[in-house]
Amino acid sequence: MPKARYQDIYNTIKDRIEEQTYPFGQLLPSENELKTEFDCSRNTVRRAIAGLIDIGYVQAMQGKGVRCIFEPENTVSFFSNEIETFREASIRNHLTYETTVVHFEECTVDKELAEKSGFPEGEDVYYIQRVHVIDGKPLIFNHNYFLKSVAEGLTGEIAGVSIYDYLENTLGVRIINSKRVITVEKITALDKKYLNLSTRDYNCLAVITSTTYDGDGTLFEYTQSRHLPSYFSFSTNAVRKK
Amino acid sequence: MPKARYQDIYNTIKDRIEEQTYPFGQLLPSENELKTEFDCSRNTVRRAIAGLIDIGYVQAMQGKGVRCIFEPENTVSFFSNEIETFREASIRNHLTYETTVVHFEECTVDKELAEKSGFPEGEDVYYIQRVHVIDGKPLIFNHNYFLKSVAEGLTGEIAGVSIYDYLENTLGVRIINSKRVITVEKITALDKKYLNLSTRDYNCLAVITSTTYDGDGTLFEYTQSRHLPSYFSFSTNAVRKK
DNA sequence: GCCGATTTGTCCGTATGTATC
DNA sequence: CGATACATACGGACAAATCGG
């Protein structure tokens, strides 16, 4: 729900790029032209463009202009710089999706979990295991831990739909940022069970471990998202610092 | 080489965070205090902080302050949002490193390479295979393709030191941005040969495929960087859009 | 090669809004 | 309610790179 002006402009230009109104390789209108079109200051246009640079949609070239380097993808891209729910990502990629909760438990943070997650020892958490099924194929196996004091009232049913919807829209939790680390790990028995893996196939998975903070600065989520390699891809854009 | 004021401030604060002058969990001085300390406008401070948010070092909480969420890592982190050379990353992680060029060739872009890289068919490129050795262990196997018209004069010797140094400091190429896709792929015979892999171990690698553009907007590099899973980790920070 | 117009990059000061305490 | 702190936005100024005449 963009409220800020620059977010609206960002989204408008982003849509135009995706629809190829601004085609690959060509220059966008100059900042001055965009500023006239959107009737705002040049700074506001620049903020919108900065966002598009972050996601690798355009590149800015001093003295020349801003060039579109977005190409419509044929592969499934699941993550970018934004925090996106599984549902949002599936919709963006035009895929059917389904989530199955295979485990739901309330438990207390022990030393081991505290160590790897950063949760304080002794806190109560919800521990959920979910399988995400895309186009009929089980592709992702998730271990989710949510701090009970923040995610109060979470149930297996809610987890089957969308936990973030519940947190944001029902509980009013404001999600700020999520630190993510991507690694490759050996397959476990649980992975084998829920992702239908044969032994002759890949013996490891792409794992995204994320720790997420709310508006109070409280770490309230620790998640391990284990992805089948053949369908995993993670895109980022890097910029050379001057 | 930061020339911009906000980059200096960014680096100064970044150093303080890494040295834990601003410790994990605590608030940084307010923007107004920092603006006084660095004797600049609040906007400039904000740009520096925005950069620290991007790399997941801090989180900004409206009405409260900016909180440090950086924890010194024990694992080797190789990439963030910045374009970094292998040498720069090794130094940042306090590791000994070495690069071996195992193949160097000049060739022409055929249909297949054009397809996957985005290079125009028929262009001349340098094709290099390199092994990166860290702390005595061969961890990364790279396939690099550089457009000859941009990287003119590249040799195997240069590739053994630093290609980016040559491009930036000798040829004056200005590197802008690099689109990266992370996937997990099966091991090939070449991987096995150069990374000393036993068959009972991982049967796949973490692969970073990057396409890099220069200041003219020319795609001049296509690289596949194949990483041993046990030493691979890629960190990013995601922000929830409003 | 120079000059001026265009375009992006950096920076400042100020004003107002919103959230926290 | 007021003080503090971050968020958004505007307008102006100058620098640096590019391009065409």
Side-chain angles (χ1 to χ4, degrees):
Chain A
M1 314 296 134
K3 182 175 40 179
R5 190 92 179 77
Y6 79 92
Q7 280 286 2
D8 280 335
I9 298 172
Y10 165 88
N11 284 321
T12 304
I13 300 178
K14 186 165 174 248
D15 287 344
R16 288 181 188 170
I17 291 172
E18 284 166 357
E19 295 160 5
Q20 299 172 64
T21 306
Y22 303 141
F24 178 86
Q26 293 203 10
L27 295 182
L28 269 57
S30 76
E31 292 172 356
N32 273 317
E33 291 174 277
L34 290 171
K35 147 187 155 169
T36 305
E37 180 191 340
F38 292 107
D39 192 31
C40 65
S41 76
R42 198 181 139 221
N43 274 326
T44 304
V45 171
R46 282 182 63 75
R47 285 191 72 170
I49 292 174
L52 296 166
I53 292 171
D54 279 347
I55 62 171
Y57 272 38
V58 300
Q59 62 180 174
M61 296 171 293
Q62 192 169 352
K64 296 177 96 163
V66 177
R67 196 159 151 280
C68 171
I69 52 170
F70 168 86
E71 284 179 289
E73 292 187 40
N74 36 11
T75 63
V76 183
S77 80
F78 256 101
F79 297 89
S80 60
N81 284 46
E82 307 175 28
I83 295 179
E84 214 178 23
T85 67
F86 174 66
R87 214 174 57 186
E88 287 163 352
S90 301
I91 292 168
R92 184 167 56 76
N93 287 295
H94 306 103
L95 296 165
T96 68
Y97 63 94
E98 194 186 329
T99 301
T100 311
V101 179
V102 296
H103 183 83
F104 188 96
E105 171 192 7
E106 241 183 88
C107 59
T108 304
V109 176
D110 61 12
K111 189 162 184 174
E112 192 197 334
L113 179 58
E115 196 92 351
K116 63 180 182 186
S117 69
F119 286 135
E121 210 177 323
E123 285 273 342
D124 286 335
V125 290
Y126 298 107
Y127 173 37
I128 308 153
Q129 293 174 354
R130 296 189 291 176
V131 179
H132 290 307
V133 180
I134 298 159
D135 271 353
K137 289 180 285 266
L139 297 185
I140 306 169
F141 180 55
N142 270 2
H143 300 266
N144 300 110
Y145 297 87
F146 285 92
L147 208 59
K148 199 184 161 194
S149 58
V150 173
E152 195 68 59
L154 191 59
T155 65
E157 275 193 2
I158 294 168
V161 188
S162 175
I163 295 176
Y164 271 39
D165 261 14
Y166 176 70
L167 292 177
E168 288 188 306
N169 302 325
T170 305
L171 294 184
V173 175
R174 286 202 322 288
I175 295 150
I176 293 205
N177 74 307
S178 187
K179 287 164 78 168
R180 292 175 180 163
V181 179
I182 303 174
T183 52
V184 175
E185 294 182 17
K186 285 273 177 67
I187 284 174
T188 66
L190 273 180
D191 297 327
K192 222 172 253 173
K193 179 174 172 191
Y194 292 116
L195 298 179
N196 295 340
L197 300 169
S198 87
T199 0
R200 276 212 313 282
D201 213 17
Y202 289 96
N203 65 5
C204 47
L205 297 176
V207 178
I208 301 181
T209 305
S210 46
T211 51
T212 310
Y213 296 80
D214 72 5
D216 297 328
T218 307
L219 193 171
F220 73 94
E221 177 191 0
Y222 173 77
T223 286
Q224 257 216 17
S225 203
R226 306 174 68 85
H227 295 243
L228 214 64
S230 34
Y231 292 87
F232 173 79
S233 104
F234 185 103
S235 306
T236 62
N237 186 55
V239 176
R240 184 72 170 159
K241 297 284 207 278
K242 284 178 194 161
Chain B
M1 316 291 137
K3 182 175 40 179
R5 191 91 177 76
Y6 79 93
Q7 280 286 1
D8 279 335
I9 298 172
Y10 165 88
N11 283 323
T12 304
I13 301 178
K14 186 165 174 246
D15 287 343
R16 289 181 189 170
I17 290 172
E18 284 165 357
E19 295 161 4
Q20 300 173 63
T21 307
Y22 303 141
F24 178 86
Q26 293 204 10
L27 295 182
L28 270 57
S30 75
E31 292 173 354
N32 274 316
E33 291 174 278
L34 290 171
K35 146 186 156 169
T36 305
E37 181 191 340
F38 292 107
D39 192 31
C40 65
S41 76
R42 201 181 136 224
N43 273 328
T44 304
V45 171
R46 282 182 64 73
R47 285 190 73 170
I49 292 175
L52 296 166
I53 292 172
D54 278 347
I55 61 171
Y57 272 39
V58 300
Q59 63 179 175
M61 295 171 293
Q62 192 170 351
K64 297 176 97 162
V66 176
R67 194 159 152 279
C68 171
I69 52 170
F70 168 86
E71 284 179 289
E73 291 187 41
N74 36 12
T75 63
V76 183
S77 81
F78 256 102
F79 297 90
S80 60
N81 284 47
E82 308 175 28
I83 295 179
E84 214 177 23
T85 67
F86 175 66
R87 213 173 57 186
E88 288 164 352
S90 301
I91 292 168
R92 185 167 55 77
N93 286 295
H94 307 103
L95 296 166
T96 68
Y97 62 94
E98 195 186 330
T99 301
T100 311
V101 178
V102 295
H103 183 83
F104 187 96
E105 171 193 6
E106 241 184 87
C107 59
T108 304
V109 176
D110 61 12
K111 190 162 183 175
E112 192 196 334
L113 179 58
E115 195 93 352
K116 62 179 182 183
S117 69
F119 285 136
E121 210 177 323
E123 285 274 342
D124 286 335
V125 290
Y126 298 107
Y127 173 36
I128 308 153
Q129 293 175 354
R130 295 189 292 176
V131 179
H132 290 307
V133 180
I134 299 160
D135 271 353
K137 290 179 285 265
L139 298 184
I140 307 169
F141 180 55
N142 269 3
H143 300 266
N144 299 110
Y145 297 88
F146 284 92
L147 208 59
K148 199 184 161 193
S149 58
V150 173
E152 196 67 60
L154 191 58
T155 64
E157 274 193 3
I158 294 168
V161 188
S162 175
I163 295 175
Y164 271 39
D165 262 14
Y166 176 70
L167 293 177
E168 289 188 306
N169 303 324
T170 305
L171 295 185
V173 175
R174 287 202 322 288
I175 294 150
I176 293 204
N177 74 307
S178 187
K179 287 163 77 167
R180 292 175 180 163
V181 179
I182 303 174
T183 52
V184 175
E185 293 181 17
K186 284 274 176 68
I187 284 173
T188 66
L190 274 180
D191 297 327
K192 220 172 255 175
K193 178 173 174 190
Y194 291 116
L195 297 179
N196 296 338
L197 299 169
S198 87
T199 1
R200 276 211 314 281
D201 212 17
Y202 289 95
N203 65 4
C204 46
L205 297 176
V207 178
I208 301 181
T209 306
S210 46
T211 51
T212 310
Y213 295 81
D214 71 5
D216 296 328
T218 307
L219 192 171
F220 72 94
E221 178 190 0
Y222 173 77
T223 286
Q224 257 216 15
S225 203
R226 306 174 69 83
H227 295 243
L228 215 64
S230 34
Y231 292 88
F232 173 80
S233 101
F234 185 102
S235 306
T236 61
N237 185 54
V239 176
R240 185 69 169 163
K241 297 283 206 277
K242 283 175 197 165

